[in-house]
Amino acid sequence: MTSTLRDALSFLRKATPLRLLNGAQVVGSYLLSKLSGRAHHAGLPVALAFEPTTSCNLRCPECPSGLRSFTRPTGMLPADLFKKTIDEVASRLWYLIFYFQGEPYLHPEFLDLVQYASQKGLYTATSTNAHYLNEQNARRTVESGLDRLIISLDGTTQEVYQQYRVGGKLEKVLQGTHNVVKWRRELNSRTPRIIFQFLVVRPNEHQIEDAKQLAEALGVDDVWFKTAQIYDHQHGSPLIPTIDYYSRYQNQGDGTWRLKNRLLSHCWKMWHACVVTWDGLVVPCCFDKDAEYRLGDLKTQTFTQLWQGRKYRDFRASLLKGRDQIEMCRNCSEGTKVWG
C-alpha cells in the first residue's frame, strides 16, 4: 500500500456522522454563496490551523518570522486557550494543522497539544524545519499520534540549503528525519506520514531530482515541490525560479512580473478553514501573516460566536464582491502547490 493511500485511509478514519454533516453544510453554503453572490454560511470549520509560536531559529527571506519583521508580538500558544477551543469545535472539526509562523518544536508543550488533539480523533499535521527532532522529540512525535509531518528541505547540500534556510544546518535536518523514520519503525507505527517539502527557488531548482533521491534513501514517504511566495515580486526577484512550472509569477517582458493566477471573486478557505494565532486572534488564512484582518479574539469570544459573527459575514461578503479589493488577496496563489 502506498503512503498516499495509507494517509487517505487515515484521514477517512477520522470521519464521524457529525463531521460528515458539518462538511455537507459547509460545502452547501459555499456553493449557494457562489451561485447567489450573497454570503451564506452554515456549520463550523472543517479545517483549522493553530500557531504554536511565532519564534523561529532560522532567518529565511520572505518569511516574517525569519526576518523578525512582525508588528504583532512574539509568544507561545497557551495550552488552556488551545484546549478550550478544541473542546468546542472537535466534534465537527476534521483536520488540524499546528503551523502558521514560527517553528512549532520551540513550544515546550507542543507535542502534548498534538496528543490532546489526536485523542479527540482529529487528523493532525505540522510543518517543521527539523532542527529539534532529536531522539527524544522524534520518539514523542510518533507517540503523540501526529498524522503528517512536513519537513522543510529546500536544498540537498549545505551550500544550497543555507541560501534560503539562513542559519540552518542540513545535517540536523537529515539526522532529525532519520530519527523519526527510525522511531516510527521501532514503534511499529503507521504515522506520521513523513514528507519533504521543497520550496523551489532559483538557487535550488537544479536539485529537484536530488531531493527525490534523498527522500527515498532516508525512507521519507513523499516529496512535495512548492512554489515560493515573493512579497515584492513586481520587479522580479533572485528567488523566482527559471523553471516556469515552479513559479507563481509570469514575466511581462517589460521588467515587471505578475501573479499567474486570476483572482476569482470567491474563496473556499473562507468557508471551511481559518487560522488562530498564538494569542488567540482568528484571521482568515495563512496569507495574513501579520494578523491585519482580525475577525475575532478567542480570549473574549467563543469560536462559534466569532465564526458566525458580523465581522466574518462582512468579510465573506467582501470576497464575493471582489478579491482584488482586499490587499491580502492580491498576492494569493491558492492552488499553486505542485505535487512531486
Side-chain angles (χ1 to χ4, degrees):
M1 186 184 299
T2 67
S3 70
T4 302
L5 181 56
R6 284 197 305 271
D7 189 51
L9 291 174
S10 178
F11 185 80
L12 290 173
R13 277 194 288 267
K14 311 295 184 183
T16 64
L18 195 52
R19 286 174 182 157
L20 291 170
L21 173 61
N22 183 65
Q25 289 177 318
V26 172
V27 171
S29 61
Y30 172 64
L31 293 176
L32 178 61
S33 299
K34 281 182 66 177
L35 290 170
S36 67
R38 297 169 62 90
H40 302 274
H41 196 277
L44 287 172
V46 175
L48 191 61
F50 254 101
E51 178 182 64
T53 181
T54 42
S55 299
C56 190
N57 55 306
L58 302 185
R59 303 264 179 169
C60 307
E62 302 299 326
C63 174
S65 291
L67 295 172
R68 311 301 195 259
S69 62
F70 284 120
T71 58
R72 60 188 177 99
T74 294
M76 301 283 178
L77 172 67
D80 57 347
L81 176 66
F82 171 79
K83 291 177 180 179
K84 177 176 72 73
T85 305
I86 293 301
D87 289 345
E88 181 185 353
V89 302
S91 63
R92 292 175 178 267
L93 188 68
W94 199 321
Y95 177 89
L96 178 63
I97 184 165
F98 290 88
Y99 184 72
F100 178 27
Q101 295 294 290
E103 168 50 48
Y105 280 85
L106 286 173
H107 192 297
E109 298 176 90
F110 169 58
L111 292 172
D112 294 329
L113 301 182
V114 173
Q115 188 169 36
Y116 189 84
S118 295
Q119 290 171 348
K120 295 283 185 179
L122 298 173
Y123 183 96
T124 54
T126 195
S127 180
T128 177
N129 61 46
H131 281 61
Y132 299 96
L133 290 174
N134 55 33
E135 288 279 354
Q136 180 183 8
N137 281 342
R139 176 169 185 157
R140 289 194 62 214
T141 296
V142 177
E143 292 174 334
S144 72
L146 183 73
D147 291 286
R148 181 183 296 172
L149 179 67
I150 301 170
I151 294 174
S152 297
L153 185 64
D154 304 340
T156 60
T157 61
Q158 176 62 25
E159 180 185 7
V160 171
Y161 174 80
Q162 68 188 6
Q163 290 184 58
Y164 189 81
R165 296 288 164 183
V166 178
K169 301 293 184 184
L170 180 61
E171 181 182 1
K172 285 190 174 183
V173 177
L174 302 184
Q175 183 61 52
T177 302
H178 168 77
N179 291 341
V180 180
V181 170
K182 183 190 79 170
W183 279 111
R184 187 178 64 175
R185 182 179 63 250
E186 292 198 8
L187 295 172
N188 195 28
S189 176
R190 292 178 298 185
T191 57
R193 183 187 184 202
I194 304 167
I195 296 161
F196 272 162
Q197 182 168 274
F198 195 95
L199 191 67
V200 181
V201 288
R202 196 175 304 171
N204 69 16
E205 62 184 359
H206 64 288
Q207 294 187 335
I208 288 173
E209 290 303 318
D210 293 340
K212 295 177 183 178
Q213 294 171 14
L214 184 58
E216 185 175 358
L218 286 169
V220 170
D221 298 306
D222 207 350
V223 186
W224 291 353
F225 295 99
K226 186 179 180 184
T227 59
Q229 178 188 6
I230 310 297
Y231 285 97
D232 187 16
H233 62 269
Q234 289 82 3
H235 299 290
S237 164
L239 292 175
I240 296 177
T242 62
I243 305 173
D244 184 66
Y245 183 68
Y246 293 108
S247 175
R248 299 186 184 190
Y249 310 99
Q250 187 172 61
N251 192 336
Q252 297 291 87
D254 59 0
T256 63
W257 296 69
R258 69 170 180 84
L259 192 68
K260 287 180 181 177
N261 278 18
R262 186 163 58 93
L263 286 180
L264 303 175
S265 292
H266 54 81
C267 181
W268 164 234
K269 277 194 174 182
M270 294 309 100
W271 270 255
H272 89 281
C274 68
V275 175
V276 183
T277 66
W278 71 267
D279 53 350
L281 301 176
V282 174
V283 299
C285 74
C286 61
F287 272 79
D288 191 5
K289 311 292 188 188
D290 234 346
E292 295 178 28
Y293 297 85
R294 302 176 182 187
L295 301 177
D297 187 341
L298 291 173
K299 296 189 295 297
T300 59
Q301 301 168 276
T302 67
F303 189 90
T304 303
Q305 285 173 339
L306 67 87
W307 183 250
Q308 298 172 352
R310 177 175 295 278
K311 278 191 175 182
Y312 238 120
R313 290 199 304 271
D314 290 347
F315 192 82
R316 292 186 184 108
S318 68
L319 283 168
L320 296 174
K321 291 177 182 175
R323 281 174 65 193
D324 59 346
Q325 302 304 306
I326 302 172
E327 180 64 32
M328 176 184 69
C329 299
R330 290 178 191 160
N331 195 20
C332 176
S333 51
E334 180 66 23
T336 61
K337 177 175 281 188
V338 183
W339 304 89

